[in-house]
Amino acid sequence: MKKKIKLFDPVVGNEEEITLKKILRSGFWASGAGTGKVSEFEKKFSKYTGSKFCVAVNSGTAALHLALSLMDIKNKEVIIPSLSFVSTAHAVVYNGGKPVFVDVDPKTLCIDPELIKKSITKKTRVILPVHFGGMPCNLHEIQHICKKNNLSLVEDAAHASGTSYKNKKIGSHANAVCFSFHPVKNLAMPTGGAITLNGKDSDIFNSILKSDRWCGISNRQGSKYDVTSLGWNYYMNEFSAAIGIEQLKKLDRMNSERKKIVKRYSKELQIDSKMPFNKDCSYHLYWIQITNREKFRKMMTKNGIETGIHYFPIHQMKYYKSKSKLPITEKVGKNIVSLPIHPNLHESDVNKIINLTNKFTK
Ligand SMILES: Cc1ncc(COP(=O)(O)O)c(C=O)c1O
């Protein structure tokens, strides 16, 4: 039987197997005193991103929840795109805030800074952009808006491990930047996430988050400790961290493999609406927009090619049912399709994806 062409596929080598075996045998699987992989990962990811601190947690959702817990958003508004995974909005609600959905730029599908300006009210506290598919948002403009209106900036960089903006890695710009290391992400773990911290309060934020990620436990001395806040059970385990360390070593190489594929997609796909090429993008996703999406996806499935939909807009979900009018997001939500993008794709896979897509859209 012919092998399916997968939409996402983590790159796994002997390195991951060897390190996992060591952790398994060590008997220390949680973080803390064990094999020290969690703190090793934090140091390495902080160095890689050029950030002051890194706090490793057990998902991107936990990273967003914790980062926003620093911002005092109870009964306040947080500006977010609706075109994202639902955790971007949930993290606001977990903290008692109100998500305010804003439309995206049709070229990049990142939140539109001009529309952010129009959505700011007296209740706005935070702007939370998503680097969609790994495409860097216009951080220069968003930082300017934050400064002018005395707002905090928290980035959702779940797609952006390895993305750069103005020659600096994502993770080094805002006071708090949230990453996901879900198995489909560019830096894959069984489950994991991180918050990188910068700016003048990063010292304090680092110690608050390192306590809050494990039930508010602090001042540990041997088996003695105190509990200084409520906290959550969000710590990263040693297996995830050990895989993450190996994945981080090859992240830039894996991302350049993705970019080689995107160069071909953006040159050879004969379709008007497709993700543009940008050398700074990590290309977690590669999107096209197509009318007749279901017919297209069925044809691809029949030919052994997985596709995906990222995303159905959050403001149209039953739980949120917001009255926001977001014409671009709503149109994109109907037409967007993700094509396979990962370093395990062979040249013949890419040929097949391009040929079938072009034949369908002709
Ligand atoms: C944009 C975005 N934000 C947040 C998350 C949540 O990350 P996790 O699945 O690691 O909780 C995801 C995960 O898919 C995501 O795509």
Side-chain angles (χ1 to χ4, degrees), residues 78-265:
V78 176
I79 292 180
I80 65 170
S82 170
L83 194 67
S84 184
F85 184 61
V86 72
S87 295
T88 314
H90 279 6
V92 177
V93 179
Y94 295 155
N95 283 290
K98 179 178 175 233
V100 173
F101 299 104
V102 166
D103 219 341
V104 291
D105 176 326
K107 285 201 196 81
T108 60
L109 304 191
C110 291
I111 195 164
D112 183 337
E114 285 310 308
L115 299 175
I116 291 178
K117 286 181 199 164
K118 291 185 184 151
S119 305
I120 293 172
T121 70
K122 277 192 197 129
K123 285 191 158 187
T124 311
R125 280 291 174 277
V126 178
I127 301 178
L128 174 43
V130 175
H131 302 294
F132 190 82
M135 191 61 78
C137 293
N138 186 345
L139 281 180
H140 176 75
E141 190 59 28
I142 297 172
Q143 276 170 324
H144 180 70
I145 298 170
C146 285
K147 209 166 165 193
K148 202 170 154 204
N149 296 280
N150 197 20
L151 304 174
S152 300
L153 173 62
V154 175
E155 293 166 58
D156 183 336
H159 300 177
S161 289
T163 291
S164 301
Y165 181 77
K166 292 203 187 280
N167 296 321
K168 282 165 70 188
K169 285 275 192 260
I170 290 293
S172 61
H173 300 86
N175 286 353
V177 187
C178 303
F179 292 86
S180 163
F181 307 127
H182 180 283
V184 302
K185 297 295 193 292
N186 297 38
L187 192 164
M189 297 181 184
T191 172
I195 306 128
T196 58
L197 298 166
N198 303 287
K200 64 177 173 35
D201 295 323
S202 54
D203 254 348
I204 303 165
F205 286 169
N206 181 49
S207 56
I208 293 174
L209 293 187
K210 285 203 169 127
S211 160
D212 278 353
R213 74 171 163 191
W214 192 32
C215 298
I217 287 173
S218 61
N219 306 326
R220 284 177 79 195
Q221 278 162 354
S223 42
K224 276 182 118 185
Y225 61 86
D226 198 0
V227 174
T228 46
S229 64
L230 187 58
W232 295 272
N233 195 344
Y234 281 170
Y235 70 84
M236 179 181 280
N237 69 68
E238 293 282 288
F239 292 105
S240 285
I243 292 184
I245 290 165
E246 296 308 323
Q247 292 272 303
L248 185 57
K249 286 181 197 161
K250 48 192 174 193
L251 179 61
D252 284 341
R253 185 163 48 77
M254 294 192 293
N255 283 352
S256 28
E257 290 300 318
R258 288 171 183 268
K259 260 174 264 189
K260 278 186 205 156
I261 298 165
V262 170
K263 264 196 179 152
R264 287 203 56 198
Y265 281 165

Side-chain angles (χ1 to χ4, degrees), residues 299-319:
M299 179 279 294
M300 294 295 260
T301 307
K302 225 168 110 187
N303 283 283
I305 301 168
E306 276 184 358
T307 58
I309 298 177
H310 302 92
Y311 296 92
F312 293 104
I314 303 173
H315 75 286
Q316 295 179 320
M317 298 289 170
K318 206 182 266 173
Y319 181 79

Side-chain angles (χ1 to χ4, degrees), residues 11-67:
V11 176
V12 180
N14 281 339
E15 319 75 83
E16 281 85 359
E17 285 186 27
I18 294 165
T19 192
L20 279 182
K21 224 180 219 167
K22 278 191 196 149
I23 310 285
L24 194 65
R25 300 257 183 257
S26 78
F28 293 104
W29 296 356
S31 50
T35 46
K37 291 293 178 191
V38 172
S39 54
E40 187 183 335
F41 176 77
E42 287 176 329
K43 282 195 196 95
K44 290 188 166 157
F45 196 67
S46 172
K47 187 163 176 224
Y48 174 81
T49 52
S51 56
K52 282 201 175 159
F53 297 98
C54 170
V55 181
V57 291
N58 60 9
S59 71
T61 307
L64 286 163
H65 183 180
L66 283 179

